[in-house]
Amino acid sequence: MISFSVTALVFGVVFLAELPDKTALAGLVLGTRYRASYVFAGVAAAFAVHVALAVAAGSVLTLLPQQIVHALTGVLFLGGAAVLLMKKDEGEEEVRRPENQSFWKVSGAGFMLILVAEFGDLTQIMTANLAARYDDPLSVGLGAVLALWAVAGLGIVGGKALMKRVPLGLITRIAAVLMVGLGVWSLWEAVAG
């Protein structure tokens, strides 16, 4: 059974954390060069693989005693918030152009770019933490993959307009504050539990 509240929380946290990430910019670059649906297919598949790996890793953590899981996820959330706050703006990444506009070449380029760029990324680690914290892999996985797909879609289709209206620094600070809140809450539960 899927928990709407867990899915919504995970969606919000992952969405805000992924918006200022380099992969949103990479999706924007690919989306301006190639057919958006081809790019999205490859990017969406890569994000699905990353979420599956993260949820599996987080599910393994649930085998530990709850206090240890809360303490570990609390520290990791606080570390993730620190990474977000200290991250400098990154320039646009150079993307190799496929030789033609075929579905397989364009979606393959998007898949490989995201697969490599996102491996061990902050949002993948956050997803594992959330899976461990809530012990609800389906709800966490659904929220995370929908958030990543939403960011990818925004980046591919409307990234330029969004980036002009919403400062990335503000989005980064909001995501960091949410992560600090989750980290403090987890640490409090570790101590109080």
Side-chain angles (χ1 to χ4, degrees):
M1 181 105 139
I2 294 175
S3 165
F4 179 74
S5 59
V6 170
T7 301
L9 174 75
V10 171
F11 179 92
V13 170
V14 172
F15 182 86
L16 287 171
E18 187 64 22
L19 263 182
D21 195 61
K22 63 189 175 296
T23 53
L25 294 174
L28 170 65
V29 171
L30 286 171
T32 60
R33 294 182 183 180
Y34 308 110
R35 181 178 279 175
S37 59
Y38 292 4
V39 174
F40 185 77
V43 168
F47 277 134
V49 169
H50 277 288
V51 167
L53 292 173
V55 167
S59 295
V60 169
L61 289 176
T62 62
L63 301 175
L64 297 172
Q66 278 299 103
Q67 283 184 300
I68 292 173
V69 171
H70 289 313
L72 181 61
T73 58
V75 168
L76 290 173
F77 275 129
L78 293 175
V83 167
L84 275 179
L85 291 172
M86 294 187 308
K87 182 167 67 169
K88 298 198 182 339
D89 289 339
E90 297 168 359
E92 230 175 62
E93 305 230 340
E94 185 57 37
V95 178
R96 285 185 3 168
R97 292 185 75 125
E99 296 300 314
N100 61 40
Q101 293 276 325
S102 78
F103 172 80
W104 293 110
K105 288 196 181 219
V106 173
S107 63
F111 179 84
M112 290 309 295
L113 177 72
I114 298 303
L115 193 68
V116 171
E118 285 290 303
F119 198 79
D121 190 61
L122 178 63
T123 52
Q124 189 177 33
I125 294 167
M126 282 176 41
T127 302
N129 288 344
L130 289 162
R133 170 131 182 62
Y134 291 106
D135 194 16
D136 187 352
L138 191 57
S139 299
V140 169
L142 181 62
V145 81
L146 289 176
L148 293 168
W149 288 354
V151 170
L154 285 172
I156 292 166
V157 175
K160 284 183 183 175
L162 177 69
M163 299 307 170
K164 287 180 184 175
R165 290 183 173 83
V166 181
L168 287 181
L170 175 64
I171 294 167
T172 301
R173 287 190 294 277
I174 291 170
V177 167
L178 285 172
M179 289 179 68
V180 166
L182 287 168
V184 168
W185 184 19
S186 293
L187 289 174
W188 180 81
E189 285 188 333
V191 172

